Amino acid sequence: MIPIDVRNLNKTYKGNFQALKNINLHIKTGEIFALLGPNGAGKTTLINTICGIVRPTNGTITVDGHDIITDFRAARSLIGLVPQELATDAFETVWHTVNFSRGLFGLAPNRAYVEKIIRQLSLWDKKNNKIMTLSGGMKRRVMIAKALSHEPKILFLDEPSAGVDVSLRKDMWENVRTLRDSGVTIILTTHYLEEAEEMADRISVINKGEIILTDNKDDLMKKLGHKTLTIDLDQPLNTVPPFLSAWKLDLDACAKQLHYHYSTAGGDTKVPQLLAGLSKAGIAYKDIHTNQSSLEEIFIELIK
Amino acid sequence: MNTYAIAAIYYFEMSRWLRTIGQSIAAPVISTSLYFVVFGSAIGSRMTQVDGIAYGSFIVPGLIMLAVVTESVSNASFGFYFPRFTGTIYELLSAPVDYAETLIGYVGAAATKSVLLGFLILLTANFFVPVHIQHPLLMLLFLVLTSVTFSLFGFIIGIWADGFEKLQIIPTLILTPLTFLGGSFYSIKMLPAFWQKVSMANPIVYLISGFRYSFYEAGDVNLSVSLLMICFFLIAAFCAARWMLKSGYKLKN
């Protein structure tokens, strides 16, 4: 059974603004799926539509085979959602708010399970504190605890790292991986592309309400990623010799480094030929190293 | 039916009320006492009986209705609007909860508070004037029906309002005047014939009249008409709230 299957989904808001355009998406069991896109691309609308917060204009969405409209109880009980905004009940305690969420999703009280979740998220010593007294990072973790309180099979994390410091972010990534390892399917949106690069199995890029591409992260990096070979020369070079023009080399300002930009997609990188050419021309070099373009650079290219 | 969700919403709403229990009890007790001082002692001492009932005792059912109607609307509207304002409503909208469970949780909690408040005012009134309830079950029926109906009405306002100002508009500009003009402090029969006819267009008249009948067997309107009217308002409010939740009006767009 496909955990989430979105077919021909459209959402048009009042004023004829089309937030989602013919979205088709199939999430696989147990994967970490990253949804990337600039602000206003439609990421949150898509998540909210799947979770039942926004009504779709047309199209179908099933969660583990359950239609989100006609079989909403079964569909929603499988989903946990951590929204982008820090929306919490300021006057409630951590313990009460997490238990409230569990009840709302139709599960009997289970002190041991709720305690486990709160401990896992390092909130146990704050369990009797009112949420208004917690820091932003702690509030974010409370929201994760609420989303996990009803033992969901699918977890949506809409910008989970927003406002969270670096060390806490790393802890959160670790928690997300642990959840994935326990069989939970995770869909996350993020502005931190390093987060998607670090964690995601597959990536979808959405822009102006349309899915531009969906691919395995590694394949995406391979297909669209570029590499740069940097050659540290022994002696400065006045100009790039004409016989090396085929490689379109850049000579840096100090004339001591040559840069060769190439794609790994085709397999033939022409790096060995370049190095052989340099040796043949008597151009000595001290060192060579390569840089892989980041997901961020790929993403910027895609949404241009 | 998701009974755990109903319990969660109900418990959440009741604990919100219990957090400010001092205020919740003190405010109605003080205002009721003031009404008795002003209307019961200052004005009532100069008035003869109304419908054969001492004026101080006559105003008790009206005072209870005044507080119950106001508090039902205020509690239910705030209870549902506040999560919308803070954004925590996302959780309810994404939960496996249908319209009936939502209504039972929110409206049930608001109505419970109103019924408790009604009894509290009744208790307070006993310190000032003698109060006899001829038909206790009928009194309870009217109290519960009114609490539920106006809690539903408050719930509708909680969905409709998109600001704290709007939350106050209907209670302040429509409900309070209707309650004051609905015979809380006088009998409709005391008005000139023209205004008696006008008053019949005020739905609160039927509630207060029926409620007063349960105390003293005296009312401005026939008991069965009062009961029919309260049932009509209840069904109308329920249908409106159900439509709002099912259509996602102001909630899912």
Side-chain angles (χ1 to χ4, degrees), chain A residues 11 51-55 73 76 87-88 92 100-101 103-106 108 146, chain B residues 2 4-5 8 19 87-88 91 93-98 101 246-247 252-253:
Chain A
K11 174 65 191 174
C51 293
I53 296 170
V54 169
R55 211 171 274 277
R73 279 188 202 276
R76 290 185 195 174
T88 50
E92 286 292 326
F100 168 76
S101 300
L104 200 60
F105 278 77
K146 281 166 79 67
Chain B
N2 187 348
Y4 287 116
R19 270 201 300 270
T88 54
E91 207 173 13
L93 298 178
S94 62
V97 178
D98 74 359
E101 292 144 2
K246 283 192 83 109
S247 68
K252 295 209 169 189
N253 279 306

PDB file of all heavy atoms in Angstrom, chain A residues 11 51-55 73 76 87-88 92 100-101 103-106 108 146, chain B residues 2 4-5 8 19 87-88 91 93-98 101 246-247 252-253:
ATOM      1  N   LYS A  11      -5.598  23.106  -6.256  1.00  0.00           N
ATOM      2  CA  LYS A  11      -6.197  23.943  -5.217  1.00  0.00           C
ATOM      3  C   LYS A  11      -6.195  25.391  -5.707  1.00  0.00           C
ATOM      4  O   LYS A  11      -5.150  25.967  -6.002  1.00  0.00           O
ATOM      5  CB  LYS A  11      -5.414  23.844  -3.897  1.00  0.00           C
ATOM      6  CG  LYS A  11      -5.905  24.805  -2.825  1.00  0.00           C
ATOM      7  CD  LYS A  11      -7.310  24.489  -2.378  1.00  0.00           C
ATOM      8  CE  LYS A  11      -7.886  25.610  -1.522  1.00  0.00           C
ATOM      9  NZ  LYS A  11      -9.299  25.381  -1.184  1.00  0.00           N
ATOM     10  N   CYS A  51      -3.387  16.722   4.903  1.00  0.00           N
ATOM     11  CA  CYS A  51      -3.764  16.519   6.307  1.00  0.00           C
ATOM     12  C   CYS A  51      -5.210  16.897   6.606  1.00  0.00           C
ATOM     13  O   CYS A  51      -5.682  16.676   7.721  1.00  0.00           O
ATOM     14  CB  CYS A  51      -2.833  17.319   7.215  1.00  0.00           C
ATOM     15  SG  CYS A  51      -1.156  16.711   7.182  1.00  0.00           S
ATOM     16  N   GLY A  52      -5.920  17.496   5.651  1.00  0.00           N
ATOM     17  CA  GLY A  52      -7.341  17.812   5.875  1.00  0.00           C
ATOM     18  C   GLY A  52      -7.603  19.220   6.349  1.00  0.00           C
ATOM     19  O   GLY A  52      -8.737  19.576   6.659  1.00  0.00           O
ATOM     20  N   ILE A  53      -6.553  20.050   6.416  1.00  0.00           N
ATOM     21  CA  ILE A  53      -6.736  21.421   6.915  1.00  0.00           C
ATOM     22  C   ILE A  53      -7.253  22.333   5.806  1.00  0.00           C
ATOM     23  O   ILE A  53      -7.979  23.285   6.058  1.00  0.00           O
ATOM     24  CB  ILE A  53      -5.401  21.952   7.497  1.00  0.00           C
ATOM     25  CG1 ILE A  53      -5.023  21.092   8.698  1.00  0.00           C
ATOM     26  CG2 ILE A  53      -5.493  23.410   7.886  1.00  0.00           C
ATOM     27  CD1 ILE A  53      -3.636  21.318   9.230  1.00  0.00           C
ATOM     28  N   VAL A  54      -6.855  22.025   4.572  1.00  0.00           N
ATOM     29  CA  VAL A  54      -7.311  22.801   3.411  1.00  0.00           C
ATOM     30  C   VAL A  54      -8.097  21.864   2.504  1.00  0.00           C
ATOM     31  O   VAL A  54      -7.716  20.709   2.305  1.00  0.00           O
ATOM     32  CB  VAL A  54      -6.091  23.398   2.654  1.00  0.00           C
ATOM     33  CG1 VAL A  54      -6.509  23.980   1.316  1.00  0.00           C
ATOM     34  CG2 VAL A  54      -5.411  24.457   3.497  1.00  0.00           C
ATOM     35  N   ARG A  55      -9.209  22.375   1.981  1.00  0.00           N
ATOM     36  CA  ARG A  55     -10.063  21.554   1.121  1.00  0.00           C
ATOM     37  C   ARG A  55      -9.540  21.590  -0.321  1.00  0.00           C
ATOM     38  O   ARG A  55      -9.333  22.685  -0.865  1.00  0.00           O
ATOM     39  CB  ARG A  55     -11.477  22.132   1.162  1.00  0.00           C
ATOM     40  CG  ARG A  55     -12.555  21.113   0.998  1.00  0.00           C
ATOM     41  CD  ARG A  55     -13.881  21.777   1.274  1.00  0.00           C
ATOM     42  NE  ARG A  55     -14.199  21.761   2.686  1.00  0.00           N
ATOM     43  CZ  ARG A  55     -14.745  20.724   3.311  1.00  0.00           C
ATOM     44  NH1 ARG A  55     -15.020  19.620   2.641  1.00  0.00           N
ATOM     45  NH2 ARG A  55     -15.026  20.772   4.583  1.00  0.00           N
ATOM     46  N   ARG A  73     -11.443   9.474   8.673  1.00  0.00           N
ATOM     47  CA  ARG A  73     -11.009   9.027  10.007  1.00  0.00           C
ATOM     48  C   ARG A  73      -9.778   8.122   9.914  1.00  0.00           C
ATOM     49  O   ARG A  73      -8.779   8.347  10.598  1.00  0.00           O
ATOM     50  CB  ARG A  73     -12.129   8.251  10.698  1.00  0.00           C
ATOM     51  CG  ARG A  73     -13.166   9.114  11.330  1.00  0.00           C
ATOM     52  CD  ARG A  73     -14.103   8.230  12.144  1.00  0.00           C
ATOM     53  NE  ARG A  73     -15.371   8.862  12.353  1.00  0.00           N
ATOM     54  CZ  ARG A  73     -15.613   9.732  13.325  1.00  0.00           C
ATOM     55  NH1 ARG A  73     -14.660  10.082  14.152  1.00  0.00           N
ATOM     56  NH2 ARG A  73     -16.801  10.271  13.466  1.00  0.00           N
ATOM     57  N   ARG A  76      -6.698  10.209   8.508  1.00  0.00           N
ATOM     58  CA  ARG A  76      -6.092  11.179   9.427  1.00  0.00           C
ATOM     59  C   ARG A  76      -5.435  10.528  10.636  1.00  0.00           C
ATOM     60  O   ARG A  76      -4.473  11.057  11.182  1.00  0.00           O
ATOM     61  CB  ARG A  76      -7.146  12.174   9.904  1.00  0.00           C
ATOM     62  CG  ARG A  76      -7.598  13.118   8.805  1.00  0.00           C
ATOM     63  CD  ARG A  76      -8.543  14.142   9.385  1.00  0.00           C
ATOM     64  NE  ARG A  76      -9.259  14.839   8.333  1.00  0.00           N
ATOM     65  CZ  ARG A  76     -10.231  15.700   8.565  1.00  0.00           C
ATOM     66  NH1 ARG A  76     -10.584  15.963   9.803  1.00  0.00           N
ATOM     67  NH2 ARG A  76     -10.843  16.302   7.576  1.00  0.00           N
ATOM     68  N   ALA A  87       2.412  27.100  16.842  1.00  0.00           N
ATOM     69  CA  ALA A  87       1.069  27.279  17.388  1.00  0.00           C
ATOM     70  C   ALA A  87       0.876  26.347  18.571  1.00  0.00           C
ATOM     71  O   ALA A  87       0.768  25.131  18.394  1.00  0.00           O
ATOM     72  CB  ALA A  87       0.034  26.993  16.309  1.00  0.00           C
ATOM     73  N   THR A  88       0.877  26.925  19.774  1.00  0.00           N
ATOM     74  CA  THR A  88       0.733  26.089  20.978  1.00  0.00           C
ATOM     75  C   THR A  88      -0.263  26.728  21.944  1.00  0.00           C
ATOM     76  O   THR A  88      -0.532  27.921  21.864  1.00  0.00           O
ATOM     77  CB  THR A  88       2.087  25.963  21.722  1.00  0.00           C
ATOM     78  OG1 THR A  88       2.620  27.269  21.898  1.00  0.00           O
ATOM     79  CG2 THR A  88       3.074  25.114  20.955  1.00  0.00           C
ATOM     80  N   GLU A  92      -1.312  25.874  28.728  1.00  0.00           N
ATOM     81  CA  GLU A  92      -1.339  24.448  29.077  1.00  0.00           C
ATOM     82  C   GLU A  92       0.064  23.958  29.427  1.00  0.00           C
ATOM     83  O   GLU A  92       1.060  24.524  28.980  1.00  0.00           O
ATOM     84  CB  GLU A  92      -1.866  23.629  27.895  1.00  0.00           C
ATOM     85  CG  GLU A  92      -3.353  23.742  27.668  1.00  0.00           C
ATOM     86  CD  GLU A  92      -4.168  23.100  28.778  1.00  0.00           C
ATOM     87  OE1 GLU A  92      -3.732  22.085  29.346  1.00  0.00           O
ATOM     88  OE2 GLU A  92      -5.246  23.640  29.084  1.00  0.00           O
ATOM     89  N   PHE A 100      -3.658  15.677  25.396  1.00  0.00           N
ATOM     90  CA  PHE A 100      -4.822  16.194  24.659  1.00  0.00           C
ATOM     91  C   PHE A 100      -4.754  15.731  23.202  1.00  0.00           C
ATOM     92  O   PHE A 100      -5.745  15.253  22.637  1.00  0.00           O
ATOM     93  CB  PHE A 100      -4.838  17.731  24.733  1.00  0.00           C
ATOM     94  CG  PHE A 100      -5.809  18.376  23.784  1.00  0.00           C
ATOM     95  CD1 PHE A 100      -7.170  18.384  24.043  1.00  0.00           C
ATOM     96  CD2 PHE A 100      -5.363  18.979  22.611  1.00  0.00           C
ATOM     97  CE1 PHE A 100      -8.070  18.974  23.157  1.00  0.00           C
ATOM     98  CE2 PHE A 100      -6.248  19.573  21.718  1.00  0.00           C
ATOM     99  CZ  PHE A 100      -7.612  19.568  21.990  1.00  0.00           C
ATOM    100  N   SER A 101      -3.567  15.850  22.600  1.00  0.00           N
ATOM    101  CA  SER A 101      -3.403  15.457  21.199  1.00  0.00           C
ATOM    102  C   SER A 101      -3.694  13.971  21.013  1.00  0.00           C
ATOM    103  O   SER A 101      -4.334  13.576  20.041  1.00  0.00           O
ATOM    104  CB  SER A 101      -1.980  15.747  20.730  1.00  0.00           C
ATOM    105  OG  SER A 101      -1.707  17.113  20.857  1.00  0.00           O
ATOM    106  N   GLY A 103      -5.664  12.066  22.781  1.00  0.00           N
ATOM    107  CA  GLY A 103      -7.107  11.861  22.878  1.00  0.00           C
ATOM    108  C   GLY A 103      -7.823  12.335  21.630  1.00  0.00           C
ATOM    109  O   GLY A 103      -8.724  11.657  21.120  1.00  0.00           O
ATOM    110  N   LEU A 104      -7.408  13.491  21.112  1.00  0.00           N
ATOM    111  CA  LEU A 104      -8.054  14.066  19.929  1.00  0.00           C
ATOM    112  C   LEU A 104      -7.973  13.106  18.739  1.00  0.00           C
ATOM    113  O   LEU A 104      -8.873  13.046  17.906  1.00  0.00           O
ATOM    114  CB  LEU A 104      -7.352  15.388  19.585  1.00  0.00           C
ATOM    115  CG  LEU A 104      -8.104  16.369  18.711  1.00  0.00           C
ATOM    116  CD1 LEU A 104      -9.410  16.797  19.354  1.00  0.00           C
ATOM    117  CD2 LEU A 104      -7.248  17.596  18.438  1.00  0.00           C
ATOM    118  N   PHE A 105      -6.897  12.346  18.681  1.00  0.00           N
ATOM    119  CA  PHE A 105      -6.728  11.402  17.578  1.00  0.00           C
ATOM    120  C   PHE A 105      -7.314  10.024  17.899  1.00  0.00           C
ATOM    121  O   PHE A 105      -7.055   9.046  17.190  1.00  0.00           O
ATOM    122  CB  PHE A 105      -5.253  11.310  17.163  1.00  0.00           C
ATOM    123  CG  PHE A 105      -4.858  12.435  16.245  1.00  0.00           C
ATOM    124  CD1 PHE A 105      -4.618  13.706  16.737  1.00  0.00           C
ATOM    125  CD2 PHE A 105      -4.786  12.232  14.878  1.00  0.00           C
ATOM    126  CE1 PHE A 105      -4.313  14.759  15.888  1.00  0.00           C
ATOM    127  CE2 PHE A 105      -4.470  13.275  14.010  1.00  0.00           C
ATOM    128  CZ  PHE A 105      -4.239  14.547  14.522  1.00  0.00           C
ATOM    129  N   GLY A 106      -8.104   9.971  18.968  1.00  0.00           N
ATOM    130  CA  GLY A 106      -8.912   8.785  19.224  1.00  0.00           C
ATOM    131  C   GLY A 106      -8.219   7.657  19.947  1.00  0.00           C
ATOM    132  O   GLY A 106      -8.684   6.509  19.877  1.00  0.00           O
ATOM    133  N   ALA A 108      -6.744   5.847  23.538  1.00  0.00           N
ATOM    134  CA  ALA A 108      -6.915   5.826  24.991  1.00  0.00           C
ATOM    135  C   ALA A 108      -5.658   6.374  25.661  1.00  0.00           C
ATOM    136  O   ALA A 108      -4.567   6.268  25.088  1.00  0.00           O
ATOM    137  CB  ALA A 108      -7.163   4.393  25.446  1.00  0.00           C
ATOM    138  N   LYS A 146       3.521  16.314  20.284  1.00  0.00           N
ATOM    139  CA  LYS A 146       2.068  16.262  20.042  1.00  0.00           C
ATOM    140  C   LYS A 146       1.775  15.442  18.768  1.00  0.00           C
ATOM    141  O   LYS A 146       0.856  14.638  18.735  1.00  0.00           O
ATOM    142  CB  LYS A 146       1.504  17.686  19.884  1.00  0.00           C
ATOM    143  CG  LYS A 146       1.299  18.406  21.216  1.00  0.00           C
ATOM    144  CD  LYS A 146       1.082  19.893  21.022  1.00  0.00           C
ATOM    145  CE  LYS A 146      -0.316  20.253  20.580  1.00  0.00           C
ATOM    146  NZ  LYS A 146      -1.376  20.011  21.555  1.00  0.00           N
TER     147      LYS A 146
ATOM    148  N   ASN B   2     -15.666   8.997  17.850  1.00  0.00           N
ATOM    149  CA  ASN B   2     -14.379   9.212  18.513  1.00  0.00           C
ATOM    150  C   ASN B   2     -14.625   9.803  19.911  1.00  0.00           C
ATOM    151  O   ASN B   2     -14.531  11.013  20.128  1.00  0.00           O
ATOM    152  CB  ASN B   2     -13.536  10.159  17.646  1.00  0.00           C
ATOM    153  CG  ASN B   2     -12.120  10.312  18.147  1.00  0.00           C
ATOM    154  OD1 ASN B   2     -11.798   9.898  19.267  1.00  0.00           O
ATOM    155  ND2 ASN B   2     -11.275  10.903  17.331  1.00  0.00           N
ATOM    156  N   TYR B   4     -12.888   9.459  22.627  1.00  0.00           N
ATOM    157  CA  TYR B   4     -11.694  10.009  23.274  1.00  0.00           C
ATOM    158  C   TYR B   4     -11.489  11.469  22.869  1.00  0.00           C
ATOM    159  O   TYR B   4     -11.045  12.295  23.660  1.00  0.00           O
ATOM    160  CB  TYR B   4     -10.462   9.180  22.912  1.00  0.00           C
ATOM    161  CG  TYR B   4     -10.433   7.841  23.598  1.00  0.00           C
ATOM    162  CD1 TYR B   4     -10.509   6.665  22.864  1.00  0.00           C
ATOM    163  CD2 TYR B   4     -10.342   7.745  24.984  1.00  0.00           C
ATOM    164  CE1 TYR B   4     -10.489   5.433  23.502  1.00  0.00           C
ATOM    165  CE2 TYR B   4     -10.322   6.521  25.628  1.00  0.00           C
ATOM    166  CZ  TYR B   4     -10.397   5.363  24.877  1.00  0.00           C
ATOM    167  OH  TYR B   4     -10.381   4.146  25.513  1.00  0.00           O
ATOM    168  N   ALA B   5     -11.835  11.775  21.607  1.00  0.00           N
ATOM    169  CA  ALA B   5     -11.693  13.161  21.138  1.00  0.00           C
ATOM    170  C   ALA B   5     -12.699  14.069  21.847  1.00  0.00           C
ATOM    171  O   ALA B   5     -12.350  15.173  22.270  1.00  0.00           O
ATOM    172  CB  ALA B   5     -11.897  13.234  19.633  1.00  0.00           C
ATOM    173  N   ALA B   8     -11.425  14.639  25.225  1.00  0.00           N
ATOM    174  CA  ALA B   8     -10.245  15.525  25.216  1.00  0.00           C
ATOM    175  C   ALA B   8     -10.677  16.991  25.075  1.00  0.00           C
ATOM    176  O   ALA B   8     -10.190  17.861  25.802  1.00  0.00           O
ATOM    177  CB  ALA B   8      -9.298  15.129  24.084  1.00  0.00           C
ATOM    178  N   ARG B  19      -9.208  27.059  35.376  1.00  0.00           N
ATOM    179  CA  ARG B  19      -8.011  27.873  35.637  1.00  0.00           C
ATOM    180  C   ARG B  19      -8.394  29.235  36.192  1.00  0.00           C
ATOM    181  O   ARG B  19      -7.629  29.860  36.915  1.00  0.00           O
ATOM    182  CB  ARG B  19      -7.204  28.047  34.340  1.00  0.00           C
ATOM    183  CG  ARG B  19      -6.164  26.971  34.114  1.00  0.00           C
ATOM    184  CD  ARG B  19      -5.094  27.466  33.152  1.00  0.00           C
ATOM    185  NE  ARG B  19      -5.639  27.813  31.862  1.00  0.00           N
ATOM    186  CZ  ARG B  19      -5.763  26.975  30.827  1.00  0.00           C
ATOM    187  NH1 ARG B  19      -5.360  25.736  30.967  1.00  0.00           N
ATOM    188  NH2 ARG B  19      -6.258  27.381  29.682  1.00  0.00           N
ATOM    189  N   GLY B  87      -3.820  29.741  16.164  1.00  0.00           N
ATOM    190  CA  GLY B  87      -3.350  28.807  15.134  1.00  0.00           C
ATOM    191  C   GLY B  87      -3.415  27.354  15.563  1.00  0.00           C
ATOM    192  O   GLY B  87      -3.160  26.448  14.767  1.00  0.00           O
ATOM    193  N   THR B  88      -3.758  27.090  16.829  1.00  0.00           N
ATOM    194  CA  THR B  88      -3.777  25.698  17.292  1.00  0.00           C
ATOM    195  C   THR B  88      -4.959  24.906  16.707  1.00  0.00           C
ATOM    196  O   THR B  88      -5.030  23.695  16.878  1.00  0.00           O
ATOM    197  CB  THR B  88      -3.845  25.615  18.838  1.00  0.00           C
ATOM    198  OG1 THR B  88      -4.961  26.387  19.273  1.00  0.00           O
ATOM    199  CG2 THR B  88      -2.596  26.156  19.481  1.00  0.00           C
ATOM    200  N   GLU B  91      -4.784  21.443  14.687  1.00  0.00           N
ATOM    201  CA  GLU B  91      -4.810  20.099  15.246  1.00  0.00           C
ATOM    202  C   GLU B  91      -6.212  19.491  15.159  1.00  0.00           C
ATOM    203  O   GLU B  91      -6.370  18.327  14.790  1.00  0.00           O
ATOM    204  CB  GLU B  91      -4.346  20.161  16.708  1.00  0.00           C
ATOM    205  CG  GLU B  91      -3.730  18.868  17.144  1.00  0.00           C
ATOM    206  CD  GLU B  91      -3.107  18.938  18.505  1.00  0.00           C
ATOM    207  OE1 GLU B  91      -3.345  19.911  19.236  1.00  0.00           O
ATOM    208  OE2 GLU B  91      -2.400  17.979  18.843  1.00  0.00           O
ATOM    209  N   LEU B  93      -8.532  20.395  13.031  1.00  0.00           N
ATOM    210  CA  LEU B  93      -8.891  20.222  11.624  1.00  0.00           C
ATOM    211  C   LEU B  93      -8.214  19.008  10.995  1.00  0.00           C
ATOM    212  O   LEU B  93      -8.716  18.443  10.028  1.00  0.00           O
ATOM    213  CB  LEU B  93      -8.545  21.483  10.822  1.00  0.00           C
ATOM    214  CG  LEU B  93      -9.274  22.765  11.238  1.00  0.00           C
ATOM    215  CD1 LEU B  93      -8.810  23.941  10.388  1.00  0.00           C
ATOM    216  CD2 LEU B  93     -10.778  22.607  11.119  1.00  0.00           C
ATOM    217  N   SER B  94      -7.057  18.622  11.549  1.00  0.00           N
ATOM    218  CA  SER B  94      -6.349  17.481  10.959  1.00  0.00           C
ATOM    219  C   SER B  94      -6.611  16.187  11.734  1.00  0.00           C
ATOM    220  O   SER B  94      -6.053  15.140  11.399  1.00  0.00           O
ATOM    221  CB  SER B  94      -4.840  17.762  10.903  1.00  0.00           C
ATOM    222  OG  SER B  94      -4.335  17.937  12.211  1.00  0.00           O
ATOM    223  N   ALA B  95      -7.449  16.262  12.759  1.00  0.00           N
ATOM    224  CA  ALA B  95      -7.723  15.073  13.587  1.00  0.00           C
ATOM    225  C   ALA B  95      -8.910  14.277  13.025  1.00  0.00           C
ATOM    226  O   ALA B  95      -9.752  14.838  12.330  1.00  0.00           O
ATOM    227  CB  ALA B  95      -8.024  15.515  15.019  1.00  0.00           C
ATOM    228  N   PRO B  96      -8.969  12.999  13.341  1.00  0.00           N
ATOM    229  CA  PRO B  96     -10.112  12.186  12.869  1.00  0.00           C
ATOM    230  C   PRO B  96     -11.369  12.472  13.693  1.00  0.00           C
ATOM    231  O   PRO B  96     -11.854  11.615  14.432  1.00  0.00           O
ATOM    232  CB  PRO B  96      -9.614  10.750  13.057  1.00  0.00           C
ATOM    233  CG  PRO B  96      -8.587  10.832  14.124  1.00  0.00           C
ATOM    234  CD  PRO B  96      -7.970  12.192  14.066  1.00  0.00           C
ATOM    235  N   VAL B  97     -11.839  13.684  13.575  1.00  0.00           N
ATOM    236  CA  VAL B  97     -12.974  14.150  14.376  1.00  0.00           C
ATOM    237  C   VAL B  97     -14.014  14.719  13.421  1.00  0.00           C
ATOM    238  O   VAL B  97     -13.668  15.518  12.556  1.00  0.00           O
ATOM    239  CB  VAL B  97     -12.509  15.268  15.348  1.00  0.00           C
ATOM    240  CG1 VAL B  97     -13.673  15.801  16.159  1.00  0.00           C
ATOM    241  CG2 VAL B  97     -11.415  14.761  16.261  1.00  0.00           C
ATOM    242  N   ASP B  98     -15.289  14.327  13.560  1.00  0.00           N
ATOM    243  CA  ASP B  98     -16.298  14.884  12.665  1.00  0.00           C
ATOM    244  C   ASP B  98     -17.056  16.020  13.354  1.00  0.00           C
ATOM    245  O   ASP B  98     -16.769  16.368  14.504  1.00  0.00           O
ATOM    246  CB  ASP B  98     -17.221  13.796  12.109  1.00  0.00           C
ATOM    247  CG  ASP B  98     -18.225  13.286  13.131  1.00  0.00           C
ATOM    248  OD1 ASP B  98     -18.194  13.763  14.285  1.00  0.00           O
ATOM    249  OD2 ASP B  98     -19.030  12.415  12.784  1.00  0.00           O
ATOM    250  N   GLU B 101     -18.767  15.306  16.858  1.00  0.00           N
ATOM    251  CA  GLU B 101     -17.845  15.194  17.992  1.00  0.00           C
ATOM    252  C   GLU B 101     -17.313  16.563  18.403  1.00  0.00           C
ATOM    253  O   GLU B 101     -17.177  16.860  19.591  1.00  0.00           O
ATOM    254  CB  GLU B 101     -16.698  14.243  17.627  1.00  0.00           C
ATOM    255  CG  GLU B 101     -17.161  12.814  17.473  1.00  0.00           C
ATOM    256  CD  GLU B 101     -16.464  12.025  16.373  1.00  0.00           C
ATOM    257  OE1 GLU B 101     -15.554  12.573  15.723  1.00  0.00           O
ATOM    258  OE2 GLU B 101     -16.857  10.883  16.140  1.00  0.00           O
ATOM    259  N   LYS B 246     -19.186  21.257   8.368  1.00  0.00           N
ATOM    260  CA  LYS B 246     -19.087  20.324   7.240  1.00  0.00           C
ATOM    261  C   LYS B 246     -18.565  20.999   5.974  1.00  0.00           C
ATOM    262  O   LYS B 246     -17.853  20.388   5.184  1.00  0.00           O
ATOM    263  CB  LYS B 246     -20.458  19.678   6.975  1.00  0.00           C
ATOM    264  CG  LYS B 246     -20.777  18.588   7.995  1.00  0.00           C
ATOM    265  CD  LYS B 246     -21.971  17.766   7.593  1.00  0.00           C
ATOM    266  CE  LYS B 246     -21.601  16.679   6.636  1.00  0.00           C
ATOM    267  NZ  LYS B 246     -21.629  15.336   7.130  1.00  0.00           N
ATOM    268  N   SER B 247     -18.935  22.269   5.790  1.00  0.00           N
ATOM    269  CA  SER B 247     -18.486  22.960   4.573  1.00  0.00           C
ATOM    270  C   SER B 247     -17.086  23.550   4.747  1.00  0.00           C
ATOM    271  O   SER B 247     -16.442  23.937   3.787  1.00  0.00           O
ATOM    272  CB  SER B 247     -19.469  24.072   4.215  1.00  0.00           C
ATOM    273  OG  SER B 247     -19.411  25.090   5.196  1.00  0.00           O
ATOM    274  N   LYS B 252     -11.454  26.074   6.444  1.00  0.00           N
ATOM    275  CA  LYS B 252     -10.603  25.230   5.599  1.00  0.00           C
ATOM    276  C   LYS B 252     -10.151  25.912   4.318  1.00  0.00           C
ATOM    277  O   LYS B 252      -9.845  25.259   3.346  1.00  0.00           O
ATOM    278  CB  LYS B 252     -11.345  23.938   5.267  1.00  0.00           C
ATOM    279  CG  LYS B 252     -11.603  23.095   6.502  1.00  0.00           C
ATOM    280  CD  LYS B 252     -11.659  21.645   6.186  1.00  0.00           C
ATOM    281  CE  LYS B 252     -11.640  20.816   7.456  1.00  0.00           C
ATOM    282  NZ  LYS B 252     -11.496  19.399   7.201  1.00  0.00           N
ATOM    283  N   ASN B 253     -10.161  27.253   4.300  1.00  0.00           N
ATOM    284  CA  ASN B 253      -9.648  27.937   3.119  1.00  0.00           C
ATOM    285  C   ASN B 253      -8.635  28.991   3.450  1.00  0.00           C
ATOM    286  O   ASN B 253      -8.441  29.925   2.754  1.00  0.00           O
ATOM    287  CB  ASN B 253     -10.795  28.533   2.307  1.00  0.00           C
ATOM    288  CG  ASN B 253     -11.440  27.464   1.445  1.00  0.00           C
ATOM    289  OD1 ASN B 253     -10.769  26.792   0.680  1.00  0.00           O
ATOM    290  ND2 ASN B 253     -12.721  27.264   1.620  1.00  0.00           N
TER     291      ASN B 253
END
